[in-house]
């Protein structure tokens, strides 16, 4: 082995904690060797986060693996949250879609959730891609070593919170948590966190978070960008507004590219502490102005069969919306409906958020007001809803670049979405 193990790690690999735990350690060692890791380091975060949250019938090998862990008495060393559920009766669907979801696609959902509970799920509703929200409670601190997966959560934890986590795959996430160690490479290292790109923001107005993230992600791919000029629009403190922006921005960098970490000058924690010391040698440069963002947006493919079709559904919240976003959008939808002389949204619209966020939202007067507009709130994963032939044929609109990338949903900016759902049309 190229990885050097300490005494405890070697003992686990040799079977001191049983055959199943030895296999878990071996899997992590092989994973680390594939990326040139030289050692294993302890997972230090309080909680873990898993990407695999959906009970697809075709994932039988996953259920078999989970059963092996459960039967061996192996449990995650940390309680964990998981990505959103794929099903919610509140989300509009026709009879055939409902049948396909429940009887064929996600027919193992209850079974799988029971497995997750036995392995260490935080609570029965710990299903969201924004586990770091205060209302959810899985928020690591700066310097914590994580064994997370879920690209949008990983990039947020690395960039906004200053934790350290690689872009792990599903199953590797829980293995690291079970054994308590992860291989040391990539974004866990100081060198791996240095920026190899300088991105200069030279727009005349505040750039759309999802559009800016898309442009950067497609340009730098898996590299680390150091972003200059964004603090002009976001300020130098991680306020709720700034964090919400970075949540959506980061999700787009991670899905339209493969960014696992970005630094924003004068704003994100490592950039404030180290400044340009975070720059690697021979950095490349990318300048983004309004024309560049418009170029990026105009080059998105529209893969609807009928490009002029009337949208049948709108999804907002990929990643899940924050409490303040739900409140702000309630105000915006009400005002826009009044402007265009409508009482309810003209396109079925779903705002998605974590169950904990929705619980808090439902305690406010905003919840009733939003329901009156016809907008539905849900904890669903829009991506899991869309990834099937029936829904793929639907003309769905969104302001999420992640949802646009992984499904047939069509991207519009927030302002364009607001007009479409309250007035109709594309302008």
């Amino acid at each position: 082995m190229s990885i050097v193990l300490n005494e405890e790690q070697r003992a686990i690999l040799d079977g001191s904690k049983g055959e199943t735990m030895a296999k878990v350690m071996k899997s992590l060692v092989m994973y680390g060797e594939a990326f040139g890791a030289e050692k294993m380091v302890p997972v230090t975060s309080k909680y873990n986060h898993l990407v695999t949250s959906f009970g697809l019938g075709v994932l039988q090998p996953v259920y078999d693996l989970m059963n092996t862990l459960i039967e061996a008495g192996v449990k995650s060393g940390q309680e964990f949250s998981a990505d959103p559920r794929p099903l919610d009766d509140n989300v509009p669907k026709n009879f055939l879609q409902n049948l396909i979801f429940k009887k064929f696609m996600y027919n193992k959902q209850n079974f799988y959730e029971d497995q997750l509970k036995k392995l260490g799920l935080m609570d029965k509703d710990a299903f969201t891609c924004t586990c770091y929200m205060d209302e959810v409670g899985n928020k690591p601190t700066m310097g914590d070593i994580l064994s997370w997966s879920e690209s949008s959560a990983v990039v947020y934890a690395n960039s906004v919170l200053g934790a350290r986590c690689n872009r792990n795959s599903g199953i590797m996430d829980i293995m690291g948590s079970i054994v308590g160690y992860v291989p040391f490479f990539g974004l866990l290292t100081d060198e791996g966190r240095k920026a190899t790109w300088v991105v200069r923001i030279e727009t005349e107005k505040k750039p759309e978070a999802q559009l800016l993230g898309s442009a950067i992600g497609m340009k730098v791919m898996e590299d680390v960008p150091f972003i200059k000029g964004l603090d002009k629009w976001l300020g130098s403190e991680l306020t709720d507004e700034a964090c919400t922006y970075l949540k959506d921005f980061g999700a787009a960098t991670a899905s339209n590219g493969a960014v696992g970490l970005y630094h924003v000058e004068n704003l994100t924690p490592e950039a404030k502490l180290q400044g340009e010391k975070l720059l690697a040698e021979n950095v490349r440069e990318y300048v983004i102005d309004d024309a560049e963002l418009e170029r990026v947006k105009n080059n998105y493919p529209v893969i609807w069969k009928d490009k002029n079709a009337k949208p049948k559904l709108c999804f907002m919240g990929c990643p899940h919306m924050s409490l303040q976003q739900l409140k702000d959008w309630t105000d915006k939808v009400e005002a826009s409906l009044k402007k265009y002389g409508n009482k309810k949204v003209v396109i079925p619209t779903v705002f998605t958020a974590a169950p904990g966020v929705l619980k808090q939202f439902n305690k406010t007067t905003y919840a009733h007001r939003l329901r009156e507009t016809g907008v539905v709130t849900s904890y669903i994963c829009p991506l899991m809803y869309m990834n099937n032939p029936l829904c793929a044929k639907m003309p769905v609109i969104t302001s999420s670049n992640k949802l646009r990338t992984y499904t047939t949903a069509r991207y519009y900016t927030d302002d364009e979405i607001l007009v479409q759902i309250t007035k109709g049309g594309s302008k």
Side-chain angles (χ1 to χ4, degrees):
M1 290 188 305
S2 60
I3 291 184
V4 177
L5 302 181
N6 64 27
E7 186 176 339
E8 180 186 13
Q9 294 160 359
R10 169 60 69 178
I12 294 172
L13 185 64
D14 289 343
S16 67
K17 294 187 177 181
E19 181 183 2
T20 298
M21 188 69 89
K23 289 181 178 179
V24 172
M25 176 62 86
K26 182 178 180 180
S27 298
L28 287 164
V29 168
M30 293 174 67
Y31 173 44
E33 287 183 323
F35 288 94
E38 297 180 355
K39 63 180 179 179
M40 306 285 285
V41 292
V43 175
T44 61
S45 59
K46 184 176 181 181
Y47 298 110
N48 195 20
H49 183 76
L50 312 188
V51 69
T52 312
S53 60
F54 37 92
L56 278 169
V58 297
L59 293 184
Q60 191 58 45
V62 172
Y63 313 134
D64 292 343
L65 172 61
M66 296 302 192
N67 270 336
T68 298
L69 296 172
I70 292 166
E71 290 170 2
V74 172
K75 190 172 183 178
S76 173
Q78 312 156 288
E79 292 184 333
F80 54 82
S81 51
D83 263 15
R85 291 181 169 108
L87 300 173
D88 183 359
D89 289 336
N90 290 326
V91 176
K93 62 183 74 70
N94 61 38
F95 173 79
L96 184 57
Q97 288 171 339
N98 195 45
L99 180 67
I100 293 296
F101 286 155
K102 293 186 176 181
K103 298 297 182 181
F104 298 98
M105 285 188 65
Y106 301 115
N107 58 345
K108 302 284 284 187
Q109 188 65 31
N110 291 336
F111 173 81
Y112 184 50
E113 288 191 23
D114 184 62
Q115 287 187 317
L116 294 179
K117 290 172 187 175
K118 291 176 181 177
L119 286 167
L121 187 68
M122 287 172 61
D123 63 68
K124 65 180 181 65
D125 287 326
F127 290 94
T128 177
C129 51
T130 56
C131 59
Y132 44 80
M133 294 284 185
D134 291 338
E135 296 84 0
V136 181
N138 184 359
K139 190 174 186 176
T141 59
M142 189 167 181
D144 276 346
I145 302 296
L146 316 181
S147 183
W148 289 15
S149 53
E150 160 55 39
S151 62
S152 70
V154 166
V155 72
Y156 187 94
N158 275 319
S159 310
V160 182
L161 302 179
R164 297 198 170 199
C165 186
N166 283 312
R167 282 173 55 106
N168 299 306
S169 66
I171 305 304
M172 298 311 302
D173 45 21
I174 195 168
M175 285 190 175
S177 186
I178 285 172
V179 83
Y181 294 100
V182 287
F184 187 69
F185 70 92
L187 297 177
L188 300 190
T189 70
D190 290 343
E191 190 64 27
R193 297 178 76 83
K194 286 189 175 181
T196 54
W197 283 86
V198 170
V199 179
R200 299 186 185 277
I201 310 300
E202 298 181 358
T203 57
E204 295 297 322
K205 57 185 179 180
K206 183 179 180 180
E208 191 90 2
Q210 296 265 4
L211 186 53
L212 179 64
S214 170
I216 293 174
M218 288 193 288
K219 188 70 171 182
V220 310
M221 296 307 291
E222 76 278 8
D223 290 344
V224 178
F226 187 93
I227 304 161
K228 295 188 174 189
L230 191 55
D231 57 316
K232 171 184 176 181
W233 304 106
L234 301 185
S236 58
E237 298 297 330
L238 288 172
T239 61
D240 286 346
E241 182 180 0
C243 288
T244 295
Y245 184 99
L246 295 176
K247 164 182 72 75
D248 293 336
F249 163 81
T253 69
S255 58
N256 287 206
V259 175
L261 164 67
Y262 58 82
H263 303 293
V264 180
E265 188 176 44
N266 300 322
L267 180 59
T268 53
E270 286 167 277
K272 292 186 80 168
L273 283 174
Q274 300 181 54
E276 293 194 359
K277 292 179 181 178
L278 286 168
L279 299 181
E281 293 183 4
N282 302 316
V283 295
R284 288 176 282 181
E285 187 169 295
Y286 178 35
V287 177
I288 298 180
D289 56 16
D290 297 305
E292 173 64 0
L293 291 180
E294 191 65 21
R295 181 196 67 79
V296 169
K297 180 172 179 281
N298 290 339
N299 278 282
Y300 292 153
V302 178
I303 53 180
W304 293 357
K305 185 175 181 179
D306 178 4
K307 294 184 179 181
N308 297 313
K310 180 182 177 181
K312 291 186 177 180
L313 185 64
C314 172
F315 268 123
M316 298 289 289
C318 182
H320 276 167
M321 298 172 79
S322 68
L323 180 60
Q324 191 59 51
Q325 277 181 303
L326 289 171
K327 292 178 178 179
D328 291 344
W329 269 89
T330 299
D331 289 334
K332 289 196 288 187
V333 171
E334 285 181 332
S336 194
L337 285 172
K338 184 177 180 180
K339 175 181 177 181
Y340 295 118
N342 290 315
K343 292 185 177 180
K344 292 186 181 294
V345 290
V346 298
I347 298 170
T349 301
V350 182
F351 289 175
T352 67
V357 170
L358 290 175
K359 183 178 180 181
Q360 292 303 312
F361 180 69
N362 288 332
K363 293 178 181 179
T364 71
T365 58
Y366 287 90
H368 173 73
R369 289 166 50 194
L370 187 61
R371 283 194 296 269
E372 288 296 298
T373 70
V375 173
V376 173
T377 57
S378 175
Y379 49 72
I380 201 172
C381 173
L383 198 157
M384 290 297 104
Y385 176 97
M386 290 286 296
N387 269 340
N388 64 84
L390 286 176
C391 293
K393 294 178 181 178
M394 292 174 58
V396 176
I397 60 174
T398 185
S399 67
S400 165
N401 243 312
K402 180 174 184 177
L403 190 62
R404 175 198 68 83
T405 302
Y406 293 143
T407 72
T408 59
R410 186 171 180 174
Y411 173 84
Y412 290 95
T413 66
D414 282 350
D415 288 344
E416 290 169 339
I417 288 286
L418 185 61
V419 172
Q420 290 223 51
I421 66 176
T422 58
K423 178 188 178 184
S426 59
K427 297 293 183 182

